[in-house]
Amino acid sequence: MKTFKKVMRGVGKFLKKFRVLIILLVIGFIVLTFVKYTSNSAKKILNEMSSADQELGKVETRSLVETITATGTIESAKKRTVASTIIKDTKITSVECEVGDYVTEGDILVTFSDESINKTISQLQEDIAESRATKSIDDTANTRTYFYSYGNESIAIRDLQIDIDQKRADLDEACSRYGDAKRKMDDLKKARDEMATVSPNSVSVFDQQIEAQQKLIDSAYDAQLAAQRAYDKAVRALDDEVYKGSNTLAGATETYQKNEITSNDPTKKLQRQLEEQKDRLDDYVITAPISGMVTQVDVEENNSFAGGNLVTIQDLSTLYVSTEIDEYDIPNVEIGQKVKFKTDATREDELEGEIDEIAVAATAASASNSSNNSTYKVKVKVLTKDDRLKLGMTAKLSIIVKEVDDVLTVPYDAVVDKGDGEYVVYAIDEATVRKIEQRKEASKQIAGKISDMSKENTSGIGDMEKPGKESGELSKTDEMKADVTEAEKPKSLKDIIKIAYGKTEEEGDIVAENQVEIPVETGIESDYYTEVKSPKLKEGMTVIVKSDVEATNPFEIMMGL
């Protein structure tokens, strides 16, 4: 007994401590039970309906534009990232630009400390001066040796020529003595012959003289032969010396020229090094390769530069939109096509551009992905100047593929594809249109009524379905504004729902009963409209717009079903 009392006291303390929570839980249970009941009751009514709100459209004459939509990024016409791989571990003495600055081609952007390279240039200049002095001495010695060899050979040839001249003179003199001896012999023989006719006894004297003269002739002849041999020997000696001298001089010339080249090597090498260092001086002053705006600066003054990017410049005089077009659409894209585009920055203003470049090969990333379609990079030149456009902005593009004017059109979803290339639209008369509008008005009334009922904690939904409940109990503000007959006026919430959904128990589906199927030929399509051709279509006709999306009834929205 004591234990029971103790337990009851504990329960009492628990209930007292958590009484607020317990009260809330009880209220919640009651509310959930009510909602479940009313929800099931409403669902029972709604399950009897099968038609959704019907959308209507008009046959209208308009201009249509067939487009390809895409999303792209604003880019500059030219972009140059100035970098250096030559200069490393060098102090930056100045940075002459900031992000947002406009620079002209040739303007100085960054300068580096040139102290070290100037020392190298000075040392090379000193080495070149020493090398040139040494070369001058070597050239003098080489020249002297060359001309000494040339002079010696010339003297030898000159002496041999003198000897030849002397031998020639001796030969000429020997030839002259020999000739004189022969002529004297001829004179003696002639005289003896003349004397023989006058005094035969005197002939012997002439014979002795002739014999003596013959000896002189023989001696002169021998002297002439000796002179000839001496002369010939001198000529051969000169020829030999000339041949030998030619080789000697050729060798001397080659040696001279070789010495010229060899002695010039150090100076030339140093000169090349000097020119390379002077050329590198230009690398210590970085200038703008193009005119444009500085969009990025990667270095700071007085820091040591380890290599890499310095400054990025972009030419903003002409902007482009870079986009990717799917392989399905790319055959319809051509250079020069007009493009309309918008950006968040330019709000609803429609800007113009034109296709400027089309890639001939798929983008590498898309081409390598076999699971997705390939895309092709397309560049659109921006024709509309607008200061609100900034690099990197996202642009929504409409590439104009085809345009037509003054054609009959219907909403895109009004055209029904029946297969095998057959397309139709469904038209309805004005009386049917008025009924549909009346029932749409009734649907709005339901939404308002359910909203009011959900705010008032009432069980009116269930009561309205009970027999004997009269329509007069509905608020007068709930009367239909649409022009309907007395028979069509709702007697209960169930009737309101049925009317709103285009069906009554007596009438059935008014759309299905009154629509007329019209075959059409389709033309170009825009985002919302399609060109249609048919002799049965007239401007202003009302057509049914089919929708693949199931309508959600207002009661379910309000009750959270």
Side-chain angles (χ1 to χ4, degrees), residues 98 100-104 107 291-294 314-317:
E98 296 179 353
D101 289 351
Y102 184 87
V103 296
T104 304
D107 285 353
S291 298
M293 181 176 289
V294 176
Q314 299 198 50
D315 179 8
L316 304 184
S317 60

Side-chain angles (χ1 to χ4, degrees), residues 411-425:
Y412 178 84
D413 289 331
V415 178
V416 178
D417 184 359
K418 299 192 72 175
D420 297 328
E422 183 181 1
Y423 297 92
V424 298
V425 297

Side-chain angles (χ1 to χ4, degrees), residues 126-246:
E126 292 177 5
D127 293 343
I128 288 172
E130 293 177 2
S131 178
R132 283 176 176 169
T134 303
K135 178 183 177 298
S136 178
I137 296 172
D138 291 340
D139 287 347
T140 301
N142 189 35
T143 302
R144 183 176 64 251
T145 301
Y146 172 73
F147 283 107
Y148 179 76
S149 299
Y150 191 90
N152 285 343
E153 195 59 38
S154 298
I155 291 171
I157 291 174
R158 184 198 62 187
D159 291 344
L160 289 172
Q161 186 62 52
I162 291 172
D163 185 55
I164 287 175
D165 294 340
Q166 183 61 48
K167 294 296 190 292
R168 180 68 186 180
D170 292 343
L171 177 60
D172 290 342
E173 185 179 353
C175 289
S176 178
R177 284 197 299 270
Y178 176 69
D180 290 343
K182 287 186 69 176
R183 283 191 295 273
K184 191 173 182 179
M185 174 66 78
D186 292 340
D187 291 341
L188 286 173
K189 286 181 179 181
K190 184 178 180 182
R192 186 193 66 174
D193 291 341
E194 289 176 355
M195 185 61 67
T197 60
V198 177
S199 176
N201 295 328
S202 302
V203 173
S204 58
V205 175
F206 282 99
D207 287 338
Q208 291 177 358
Q209 291 179 352
I210 289 172
E211 184 179 356
Q213 189 62 36
Q214 184 61 49
K215 291 180 179 179
L216 291 175
I217 289 173
D218 293 339
S219 176
Y221 179 72
D222 292 338
Q224 179 182 324
L225 289 177
Q228 183 67 52
R229 286 194 293 271
Y231 174 75
D232 292 341
K233 183 178 180 181
V235 170
R236 286 194 299 272
L238 178 59
D239 290 341
D240 291 342
E241 187 61 33
V242 168
Y243 177 76
K244 184 181 71 174
S246 296

